[in-house]
Amino acid sequence: MPKLDINGGDRLKLAIQRSGRLTEDTLALLHAIGLDFESYGQRLFSRCRNFPLSILYGRDDDIPEYVGLGTVDLGIVGRNLVEEEGRPGTVLRDLGFGYCALVVAVLRDSRFQDPADLADCTVATSYPRSVRRFFADHGAAPEIITISGSVEVAPTLGIADAIADLTATGSSLLLNDLRPIATILESQAVLVANPAALDHPEKKANIDRLLLRIDAVRAARRYKYVMMNAPESALPAIRAVVPGLKAPTIVPLADPGWVAVHTALEEEAFWESIERLRAAGATEILVSSLEKLLL
Ligand code: ATP
Ligand code: ZN
């Protein structure tokens, strides 16, 4: 049997969550940037076949420490955990998934309105350091009870006056009769690196290759490619709507007085832009998704 050498020279090691809220989007991103590896079942690690990278699957709570200690060079984990562990690595990129917030919440009918009201109270959380820091910034030092699961039932059970927990939509809070009163931090999945890996020339070069790919995939998701036909006279109005990446491409059509305009539109204001383009005189608007976009 071959030796299990996941370190093998300058191979990068990346820790990701084995099974949880971040796993599916993390694997999708890694595949989207062209990494070829097996990820099924309860694997402990995989080797990429087409990139000098090994992937280690772990509990999300352990990932910041792995990165801090240099057990791995890179990790993909929620920013909430990076902050909780005192930023053990360098955050290289926000990854655009795993959005949530660490919020302070109290029972709906309680008298508490803001963090300072909790100065002499007890707060249950899985993120004691972030919570303590937050209350200190508000001149309060409530008693903090650290619990690892089902934090949201603590007030109902009378274990704590308030909680600080992660929520994406707030629905878990509502379900437990809780009312948010403050946001400690906003979080999403991030790519975090061990600083020594960034000082290692070969590793750094391969990290840069990964970053270029991640940026290309994320930029592509931000834009749609749009082609339209328009009378030449509509061009000034169309150009005001679509700056394009630099400028739109304008191609004459066989029909005199008509042009085709090719451009990229930001997803965020997509429908507003389309409405303005139609109002400006654009017709036969064709929209397609981009796969990669290197700016
Ligand atoms: P593990 O078994 O790896 O320890 P876990 O149960 O501690 O997993 P998950 O619930 O899978 O962790 O959450 C992982 C991360 O997903 C969180 O640290 C956070 O960054 C993010 N996240 C996104 N939305 C939510 C949410 N609604 N509630 C909790 N975490 C969320
Ligand atoms: Zn966890």
Side-chain angles (χ1 to χ4, degrees), residues 17 20-22 59-61 78 80 98-100 127 166-168:
Q17 190 182 24
R21 291 175 204 261
L22 302 180
R59 293 211 42 199
D60 67 340
D61 315 60
N80 52 301
Y99 287 104
C100 59
Y127 299 91
L166 293 177
T167 178

Side-chain angles (χ1 to χ4, degrees), residues 14-17 22 26 59-65 67 74-83 88 91 93 95 97-98 187-192:
L14 164 70
I16 69 171
Q17 190 182 24
L22 302 180
T26 301
R59 293 211 42 199
D60 67 340
D61 315 60
D62 296 333
I63 293 175
E65 194 180 346
V67 172
L74 297 167
I76 292 180
V77 70
R79 187 182 278 276
N80 52 301
L81 281 172
V82 177
E83 293 292 328
V91 172
R93 287 297 186 276
L95 297 177
F97 61 86
S187 181
Q188 61 176 291
V190 295
L191 178 69
V192 57

Side-chain angles (χ1 to χ4, degrees), residues 141-186:
E143 186 189 339
I144 308 230
I145 305 173
T146 306
I147 39 186
S148 57
S150 304
V151 172
E152 66 280 2
V153 298
T156 312
L157 296 179
I159 298 168
D161 302 294
I163 63 158
D165 203 9
L166 293 177
T167 178
T169 58
S171 58
S172 58
L173 299 179
L174 277 179
L175 266 179
N176 288 284
D177 261 343
L178 295 168
R179 165 167 62 83
I181 58 166
T183 299
I184 298 178
L185 60 89
E186 308 264 5

